[in-house]
């Protein structure tokens, strides 16, 4: 049997693209680069592959009459129109679990970076200020502080595990209380923010969580509080966050994700109380390899008549 045709909608790293090319006939972003050629192959395309931030809209699916499956290399799939996929009987898969440690590690790294001012400390030494001005101003202790987690899913729990080792108390908000976990539940982000020193956002993106962290929540977090976002930029009202950081409404922020990537609001670049990262929560060779392997295995399972390994909850 001939290899299935696959449309790749993102710019995948070689560790994802190469195995795809071995197993499938791959069309790379043809819908963007060559619409005429795309129109010719569109009826043949049976699979779509992309990254966690990829958009797979109803309009794109509408151009692909033979589409059977969308495989996302990422845990987030908020760019996929799952309602349309369900309507059409199209399987959607993602890559949960294999990145839990990595994203949790970065969350703790951002907490330490912003509280202990590690990027500024590095600059302080490099620019000779240590010699000319003496010790840096004192920083904020993280161990033993109060942590609030917005979204206590698999990654949220990995963050909590690490924070326990830092002697932090753990509270969270989620759609429902998790009776099996020994952490304090709060009904919403604002109530949680008012009760903690570090508020870490790790909830799925999409319409249901859009701007969940708004000016009110930041006000509740207060002038001693830090916001960390390793989820999706859409969850935080970035303009309200800039305002809060500029006015000292909160103490600081550590951000791995932004509303418009790769273009964070430029006002953030001028602020000294924020640590910025280029959406790199899962970006190590080890974890990206595991994610790519799982995304490819999902496609291979489906096209060899097996159930996929990690369908999104709506498709399982
Ligand atoms: C990556 C992510 O940026 O898993 C996710 O949802 O946001 C990230 O791990 C991306 O998915 C890599 O393809």
């Amino acid at each position: 049997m001939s290899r299935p045709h696959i449309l790749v909608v993102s710019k995948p790293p070689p560790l994802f693209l190469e195995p795809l090319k071995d197993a499938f006939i791959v069309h790379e972003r043809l819908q963007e680069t060559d619409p005429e050629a795309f129109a010719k192959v569109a009826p043949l395309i049976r699979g779509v592959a992309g990254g966690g931030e990829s958009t797979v809209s109803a309009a794109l699916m509408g151009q692909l009459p033979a589409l059977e499956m969308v495989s996302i290399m990422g845990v987030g799939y908020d760019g996929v129109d799952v309602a349309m996929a369900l309507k059409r009987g199209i399987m959607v898969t993602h890559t949960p679990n294999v990145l839990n440690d990595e994203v949790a590690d970065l969350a703790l790294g951002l907490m330490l970076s912003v509280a202990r001012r590690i990027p500024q400390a590095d600059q302080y030494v490099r620019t000779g200020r240590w010699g000319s001005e003496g010790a840096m101003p004192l920083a904020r202790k993280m161990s033993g502080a109060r942590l609030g987690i917005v979204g206590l899913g698999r990654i949220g729990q990995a963050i909590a595990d690490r924070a326990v080792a830092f002697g932090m108390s753990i509270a969270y908000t989620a759609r429902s209380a998790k009776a099996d976990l020994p952490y304090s539940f709060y009904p919403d982000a604002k109530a949680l923010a008012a009760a903690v020193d570090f508020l870490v956002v790790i909830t799925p993106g999409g319409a249901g969580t859009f701007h969940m962290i708004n000016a009110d929540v930041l006000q509740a977090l207060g002038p001693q509080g830090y916001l960390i976002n390793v989820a999706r930029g859409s969850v935080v009202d970035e303009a309200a966050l800039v305002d809060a950081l500029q006015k000292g409404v909160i103490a600081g922020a550590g951000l791995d994700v932004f509303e418009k990537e790769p273009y964070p609001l430029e006002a953030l670049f001028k602020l000294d109380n924020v640590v910025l990262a280029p959406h790199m929560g899962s970006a190590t060779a080890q974890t990206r390899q595991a994610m790519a392997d799982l995304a490819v295995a999902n496609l291979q399972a489906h096209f060899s008549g097996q159930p996929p390994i990690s369908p999104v909850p709506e498709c399982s």
Side-chain angles (χ1 to χ4, degrees), residues 3 17 22 32 37 55 69 89 103 113 125 128-129 168 173 182 199-200 210 219 231-232 252 254 280:
R3 292 179 296 159
L17 189 58
D22 290 341
E32 284 168 26
T55 301
M69 165 157 196
V103 180
S113 294
V125 176
R129 289 178 66 191
M168 301 184 84
T173 187
L199 188 69
V200 175
F210 181 75
Q219 192 81 44
R232 283 287 182 265
M280 62 177 200

Side-chain angles (χ1 to χ4, degrees), residues 51-53 73-76 99 232 279 282 288 291:
E53 297 89 61
M73 179 190 150
V75 65
L99 44 54
R232 283 287 182 265
H279 198 147
S282 66
R288 284 285 164 85
M291 292 163 70

Side-chain angles (χ1 to χ4, degrees), residues 236-279:
V236 175
D237 180 340
E238 203 165 296
L241 175 61
V242 165
D243 194 54
L245 287 163
Q246 284 169 339
K247 294 182 177 151
V249 171
I250 66 170
L255 306 172
D256 185 43
V257 288
F258 304 88
E259 285 205 62
K260 282 201 184 74
E261 295 180 1
Y263 304 108
L265 285 180
E266 281 187 25
L268 287 168
F269 303 164
K270 298 193 183 77
L271 291 168
D272 182 50
N273 52 353
V274 61
V275 176
L276 306 172
H279 198 147

Side-chain angles (χ1 to χ4, degrees), residues 2-151:
S2 69
R3 292 179 296 159
H5 288 252
I6 301 284
L7 177 70
V8 174
V9 292
S10 58
K11 284 185 194 158
L15 55 80
F16 188 27
L17 189 58
E18 294 311 319
L20 284 177
K21 282 183 173 167
D22 290 341
F24 307 105
I25 300 170
V26 170
H27 305 281
E28 276 183 73
R29 292 179 295 117
L30 211 53
Q31 82 285 10
E32 284 168 26
T33 57
D34 191 345
E36 255 176 58
F38 175 63
K40 284 195 193 115
V41 299
L44 302 174
I45 287 169
R46 297 171 62 197
V48 164
E53 297 89 61
S54 296
T55 301
V56 185
S57 63
L60 178 64
M61 289 188 232
Q63 291 173 276
L64 306 172
L67 185 62
E68 297 168 34
M69 165 157 196
V70 176
S71 174
I72 295 297
M73 179 190 150
V75 65
Y77 54 96
D78 42 302
V80 180
D81 192 326
V82 178
M84 177 53 74
L86 286 174
K87 210 161 147 187
R88 289 259 312 268
I90 295 165
M91 168 57 66
V92 181
T93 63
H94 64 151
T95 61
N97 294 321
V98 292
L99 44 54
N100 296 353
D101 285 344
E102 214 66 86
V103 180
D105 287 355
L106 188 76
L108 272 285
L110 286 173
M111 288 162 66
L112 280 169
S113 294
V114 70
R116 300 295 303 274
R117 299 177 58 79
I118 296 171
Q120 290 88 345
D122 178 89
Q123 283 304 311
Y124 200 76
V125 176
R126 282 171 199 266
T127 56
R129 289 178 66 191
W130 189 18
S132 58
E133 296 175 40
M136 270 179 74
L138 298 180
R140 164 73 155 92
K141 181 174 180 179
M142 188 180 100
S143 282
R146 300 168 300 168
L147 171 64
I149 302 176
V150 179

